[in-house]
Amino acid sequence: MLSLSSRIGSNTCLDASSCTHSSLSLSLSLSSLVCVNPLIIERICQRNLCPVGKFSTNAAKITPTTVNPILDDSSDANNRQSQSRSSADWKAARAYKESGFIYEGKIQGFNGGGLLVRFFSLVGFLPFPQMSPSHSCKEPQKSIHEIAKGLTGSIISVKVIQANEEMKKLVFSEKDAVWNKYSSRVNVEDIFVGRVASVEDYGAFIHLRFPDGLYHLTGLVHVSEVSWDLIQDIRDILNEGDEVRVKVIKIDREKSRITLSIKQLEEDPLLETLEKVIPQRSSLMM
């Protein structure tokens, strides 16, 4: 067996009871207890001369039995930072919703129901029905998914219409953002060229073309405003994609609604008849 005193040198005390060093006691498989300088113990342990966890301080009576690993908490810190950022961005989303401010977001991609729009560190959803009609009217031959693919990577103006952090729902509307910009340019009695977007039993939705050549807003022509004649089925007169002239007869700015009329661009046949009949009666009386 190796001699410990020959390896430790002048810092070794053969009689532990008479040691006056401020030192640690090292228990080895030797017949005697030795006292050594702490720095020497470290060097010995590094050279595998003593097993880690078998040394103790006589003064404090501390006997570690395991070596605590050095933990890399960088991932935990990143998670906390990410959660903090996410919470702040949800707060910003709610502020945008309450204020009605318009947000300029980048389109990250799309799925079967709409576009995925980046909102700071969050990704929100823009349903296809909430998109501006300018996209589909600009490229009517393309499907909505083809249009969405072409928009990926571009910047879009939207309004936050739903921000629920608990349910993780962040929903946008481009229509609402466009309304803020273009509704002030529309007044009652204005006449537009429009394109039929869809036809329902109660009327037809018409996209309005603005001077820039794009269709930014959509109005409704009620079935009663399509023609002076009695209509059994509005589809007998209007079909999706038809181009029509319409007149603005009502604007509800609070509800973002525009009411249109086709028949008011034509003379009422009944009035024409009365104009023909009334002069004849007047001339007879004379």
Side-chain angles (χ1 to χ4, degrees), residues 174-210:
E174 185 188 18
K175 279 186 175 180
D176 286 0
V178 171
W179 173 268
N180 281 13
K181 183 176 181 179
Y182 289 95
S183 62
S184 59
R185 307 181 190 183
V186 180
N187 298 289
V188 175
E189 301 293 329
D190 285 350
I191 297 174
F192 284 87
V193 173
R195 179 177 295 175
V196 179
S198 62
V199 181
E200 309 294 339
D201 292 338
Y202 53 84
F205 289 96
I206 311 294
H207 296 324
L208 304 180
R209 188 172 71 196
F210 281 70

Side-chain angles (χ1 to χ4, degrees), residues 206-256:
I206 311 294
H207 296 324
L208 304 180
R209 188 172 71 196
F210 281 70
D212 61 3
L214 299 178
Y215 299 77
H216 296 292
L217 301 179
T218 304
L220 173 67
V221 176
H222 190 266
V223 62
S224 62
E225 290 293 330
V226 174
S227 173
W228 292 108
D229 298 329
L230 181 63
I231 297 177
Q232 298 295 333
D233 188 349
I234 188 175
R235 295 173 182 83
D236 293 335
I237 300 177
L238 296 176
N239 294 287
E240 184 176 338
D242 288 349
E243 188 172 281
V244 294
R245 293 176 71 249
V246 292
K247 181 179 181 180
V248 179
I249 59 175
K250 184 179 179 181
I251 301 175
D252 189 332
R253 301 193 184 276
E254 291 185 0
K255 295 182 179 180
S256 303

